[in-house]
Amino acid sequence: MKVLVLGSGGREHALCWKIAKSPKVSKVYCAPGNGGIKEIAENVDISLEDMDGLLDFAIREKIDLTVVGPEGPLVMGIVNRFSEKGLKIFGVNKKAAQLEGSKVYAKEFMEKYNIPTAKYRRYTDSEKAIEELDMFNYPLVIKADGLCLGKGVVICNGKEETIDSINQMMKDKVFGSAGETIIIEEFLEGVEASLLCFVSNGKIIPMESAKDYKQIFEGDEGPNTGGVGCYSPNPLFNPELERIIEEKILKKIEIGLRGERIDYNGILFIGLMITKDGPKVLEFNVRFGDPETEVLIPRLKSDIIDIFEKTLEGSLLKEDLIWRDEKCVTVVATSKGYPGKYEKGKEIRGLKDVDEDIIIFHNGTVEKEGRLYTNGGRVISITALGDTLEEAREKIYENLNKIKFDGMYFRKDIAKID
């Protein structure tokens, strides 16, 4: 098989790495790819916005399967376009992608099907939103309706800060049209957890659990990022919690997909808050998470191509997902200043000096004349398996000292469990 992966981050690197191991696969392409993906797949210089270009490439090269990494192309309807041409593509269609593409659509879906989530109100008028702030307690959460690369969520602790955030989103348009409609919702207290699932013909089959770290500084301080570390499995996910999630969330989502006539084949990533009142849904994503993929994929023993094909056929079973017992940790090294303003083009040194059992997934790198340079806020995900989380994290932090680039930063408390 010839496989095309769409995207350029750590998630796509992990997918390419796993796909390349399948005996069914003879060639892997990645559009647009990055400096690390180049080692295992052929990078194709086509932008993800260029749907016609991607379609032409897939037809010309007789691609047997396309795998979509990020949410943008899914929301734009790339699966519909490829399917219309008879091309096999792994990812959800445009209608299903609204669960991530619109926070309002997702909240209304949860409300309609009685899926536990935070109480909320939607606004299209900034003045009305500010006028009604006294209805809420602090802290509260403001979300831009559309896609904002993981940055459209703000936690506000006071009225002044809230007004400022509303005006930035709705008047200053810091997120463009994505912030024309906003949601203000109650702040949920508890522990965050990520649950990625394959969805095959509307049937949800959970993967192993994971726990990611969103905030840039140690101790979960500072602004939110796209994710700067992760580990799997998440010790929170005991059999009792899994049973509650199955009954109160997963079954209701399945009912909702049928009720809305959403033909869903692909990934559903459920962001959860485990509160004192039980698990509640923070958000839906319709694709593999990043950095969750970097810790789940190394634990997956099954052939990922088999899983993709069975998902699309509607025949995937829980037994098809076979997992390693080993734990997995990843720590993301970022550029100085991320998630704010940062510089690119810093040479990365020491990657060849790391131990053999360290896996490095590239998030934002570019290769020029045989040298690697930073090309994003999140640069590399240093990943390791171990019999315990402690063993895996120790390997990572020992090896992080061998890697250098100007302004390199990483959290030192990933997977540190008291």
Side-chain angles (χ1 to χ4, degrees), residues 77-90:
I78 194 163
V79 169
N80 304 60
R81 289 285 305 278
F82 270 57
S83 300
E84 282 159 13
K85 296 287 183 188
L87 295 169
K88 194 185 282 188
I89 181 164
F90 183 85

Side-chain angles (χ1 to χ4, degrees), residues 67 69 74 76 84 87 101 118 134 248 265 360 411 416:
V67 178
L74 295 170
M76 285 163 60
E84 282 159 13
L87 295 169
D134 291 338
K248 298 201 168 174
N265 290 293
I360 296 177
R411 276 181 62 163
K416 190 173 186 180

